[in-house]
């Protein structure tokens, strides 16, 4: 029999798998599907700018009032609204729904990270294990299941768009402008000719809406509300709004968080590059939009498997070795992409880059999330809100310059942020090795609501002290 905490991890993971099967597929297609006037990339910029705003105050308020479970459900509803906006894509539909998604994005991810950290600490206390090891394992399991959403979402898009009978052959003059070879800001290709038939777009978006609603049902029905008592206590003893609003920023007084900003922002830069630049300037340009799904499936499959493996491997190798390995993989890919000239005859190469990128991203996601949960165990909501805020800033900056900078310049910017990360992250890791951060249980801090605390693992309260 599996433990209740492990069951809850599986429920959260499957819910996010279903939700991001829809959103991940749409994000991969935005730069190609809604390329007119940069509308697709603009919608992605609005999403992550909105996440930055919501990170400032919404996660702490929603988690403390609704609890992690219902915060996740509410955030999922915001994501589903974006799928509705893509039924009839336009500035008046995509931009508002992008803003709604962003407002729900920060509470969604903060609640998920808080939930996994609570479950990990509770299970570690029960089994007599080290909290960081169980948290690493839970994040690894989550990302193993979650990252496979890229496989299913992109498989759906490729199978549906593959039915289009108007797939055009890429002319040689367009191939010369693919990759980082040409600094042409506007590729000479007809945006309408690369867009699939509208009926196929409606079919795909309808499927995405369905799996998004399914995600909400899964979490609402099957996920345990493990922080119900503390949420109820918080509602009865509300803090001033100004104090709640500034919770995210107060944590910036911790030098460790400031030092981790380059690492966190790089996560946004590297994800936005693959979904926005690689799919458009390499895949769509040289192969066609119907190949985007297949290429991103390779990324998702590799990411999923490696998330599970590295989540378990971290206890033997440590975080530092894995993160430096990810940096080396990304560095190699960036250098290669600067010189590679994509051509349809090199089909296998189009899959090599997303595979290596997926392996590296698996490390960035699992280890950075776990690191935040370990370093800031007493301020989980504020810590993960900061994580989403700085990661989203990386997304916003990358998507903002997407339409007016050369691809070569974008690659050099990505490389610069990576190098900065390699120099700043070891400072935090070295300090953590010399002065390990104690978990809540190890530090001997009882939960705020002592009367609501139970040893039964399903009712453990291990949230931040209020």
């Amino acid at each position: 029999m599996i433990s209740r905490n492990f069951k809850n991890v599986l429920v959260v993971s499957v819910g996010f798998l279903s939700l991001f099967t829809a959103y991940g597929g749409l994000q991969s297609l935005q730069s190609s599907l809604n390329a007119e006037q940069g509308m697709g990339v603009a919608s992605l910029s609005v999403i992550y700018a909105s996440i930055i705003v919501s990170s400032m105050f919404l996660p702490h308020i929603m988690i403390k009032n609704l609890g992690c479970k219902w915060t996740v459900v509410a955030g999922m509803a915001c994501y589903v609204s974006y799928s509705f906006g893509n039924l009839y894509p336009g500035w008046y539909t995509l931009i508002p729904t992008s803003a709604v998604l962003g407002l729900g994005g920060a509470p969604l991810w903060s609640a998920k990270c808080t939930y996994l950290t609570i479950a990990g600490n509770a299970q570690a206390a029960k089994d007599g294990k080290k909290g960081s090891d169980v948290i690493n394992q839970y994040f690894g399991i989550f990302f193993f299941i979650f990252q496979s959403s890229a496989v299913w979402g992109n498989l759906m898009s490729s199978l549906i768009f593959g039915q289009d009978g108007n797939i055009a052959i890429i002319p040689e003059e367009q191939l010369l402008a693919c990759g980082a070879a040409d600094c042409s800001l506007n590729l000479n290709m007809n945006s309408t000719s690369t867009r699939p038939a509208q009926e196929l777009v409606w079919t795909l978006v309808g499927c995405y809406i369905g799996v998004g609603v399914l995600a909400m049902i899964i979490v609402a029905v099957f996920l345990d509300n493990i922080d119900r008592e503390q949420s109820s206590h918080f509602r009865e003893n509300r803090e001033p709004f100004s104090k709640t609003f500034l919770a995210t920023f107060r944590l910036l007084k911790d030098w460790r968080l400031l030092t981790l900003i380059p690492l966190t922002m790089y996560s946004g830069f590297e994800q936005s590059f693959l979904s926005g630049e690689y799919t458009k300037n390499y895949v769509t340009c040289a192969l066609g939009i119907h190949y985007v799904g297949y290429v991103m499936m390779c990324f998702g499959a590799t990411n999923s498997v490696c998330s599970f493996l590295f989540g378990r491997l971290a206890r033997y190798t440590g975080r530092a070795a894995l993160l430096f390995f990810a940096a080396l993989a990304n560095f190699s890919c960036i250098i290669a992409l600067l010189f590679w000239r994509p051509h349809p005859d090199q089909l296998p190469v189009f899959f090599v880059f997303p595979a290596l990128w997926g392996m590296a991203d698996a490390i960035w996601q699992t280890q950075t999330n776990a690191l935040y949960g370990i370093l800031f165990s007493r301020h989980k909501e504020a810590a993960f809100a900061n994580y989403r805020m700085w990661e989203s800033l990386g997304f916003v900056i990358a998507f903002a310059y997407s339409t007016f900078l050369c691809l070569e310049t974008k690659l050099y910017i990505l490389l610069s942020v990576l190098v900065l990360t390699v120099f700043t992250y070891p400072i935090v890791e070295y300090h953590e090795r010399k002065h390990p951060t104690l978990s809540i249980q190890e530090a001997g801090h009882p939960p705020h609501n002592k009367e609501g605390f139970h040893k039964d693992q399903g009712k453990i309260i291990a949230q931040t002290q209020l």
Side-chain angles (χ1 to χ4, degrees), residues 123-191:
Q123 193 62 36
K126 179 184 178 184
D127 297 341
K129 295 181 179 179
K130 191 176 179 181
S132 60
D133 288 342
V134 180
I135 292 172
N136 263 324
Q137 180 183 352
Y138 279 2
F139 273 104
I141 293 169
F142 169 81
F143 280 105
F144 167 65
I145 298 174
F146 162 72
Q147 296 291 9
S148 68
S149 63
V151 176
W152 311 117
N154 288 296
L155 177 62
M156 291 168 65
S157 69
S158 291
L159 291 178
I160 292 175
F161 287 165
Q163 300 175 24
D164 192 356
N166 299 317
I167 298 175
I169 298 176
I170 308 296
E172 285 295 329
E173 55 268 23
Q174 179 177 309
L175 292 175
L176 295 176
C178 296
D182 196 292
C183 196
S184 170
L185 298 181
N186 295 304
L187 294 177
N188 295 319
M189 58 179 176
N190 188 336
S191 62

Side-chain angles (χ1 to χ4, degrees), residues 427-447:
I427 299 173
V428 177
E429 189 64 56
Y430 177 78
H431 181 270
E432 179 64 14
R433 285 179 178 271
K434 293 295 184 180
H435 310 282
T437 302
L438 298 178
S439 67
I440 292 177
Q441 286 86 352
E442 292 171 328
H445 291 278

Side-chain angles (χ1 to χ4, degrees), residues 136 139-140 143-144 147 263 266-267 270-271 299 302-314 317-330 355-371 387 425:
N136 263 324
F139 273 104
F143 280 105
F144 167 65
Q147 296 291 9
L263 169 64
Y266 178 74
S267 177
E270 59 95 5
Q271 290 180 76
F299 165 80
T302 308
N303 203 323
S304 176
V305 173
C306 290
S307 293
F308 178 75
L309 293 178
F310 291 137
R312 290 180 172 272
L313 190 61
T317 63
R319 284 184 303 271
L322 291 178
L323 286 169
F324 281 118
F325 179 65
L328 179 62
N330 277 164
L356 292 173
W357 212 270
M359 177 190 68
D361 185 67
I363 297 175
W364 297 123
Q365 299 305 314
T366 57
Q367 299 310 306
T368 307
N369 275 278
L371 179 60
Y387 175 85
Y425 158 72

Side-chain angles (χ1 to χ4, degrees), residues 83-146:
S83 297
F84 279 101
N86 276 268
L87 281 173
Y88 295 94
W91 292 101
Y92 295 105
T93 56
L94 277 184
I95 301 305
T97 53
S98 297
V100 171
L101 187 158
L103 289 176
L108 173 74
W109 282 93
S110 296
K112 181 273 299 180
C113 293
T114 301
Y115 195 98
L116 293 186
T117 303
I118 293 172
N121 281 325
Q123 193 62 36
K126 179 184 178 184
D127 297 341
K129 295 181 179 179
K130 191 176 179 181
S132 60
D133 288 342
V134 180
I135 292 172
N136 263 324
Q137 180 183 352
Y138 279 2
F139 273 104
I141 293 169
F142 169 81
F143 280 105
F144 167 65
I145 298 174
F146 162 72

Side-chain angles (χ1 to χ4, degrees), residues 22-23 26 30 76-90 92-98 100-101 198 201-202 204-213 216:
Y23 173 70
L26 284 174
Q30 286 303 313
M76 286 179 166
C78 295
Y79 272 74
V80 174
S81 71
Y82 184 66
S83 297
F84 279 101
N86 276 268
L87 281 173
Y88 295 94
Y92 295 105
T93 56
L94 277 184
I95 301 305
T97 53
S98 297
V100 171
L101 187 158
Q198 185 61 41
V201 175
W202 286 337
L204 178 64
V205 175
C207 293
Y208 285 160
I209 291 173
V211 295
V213 173
M216 295 173 60

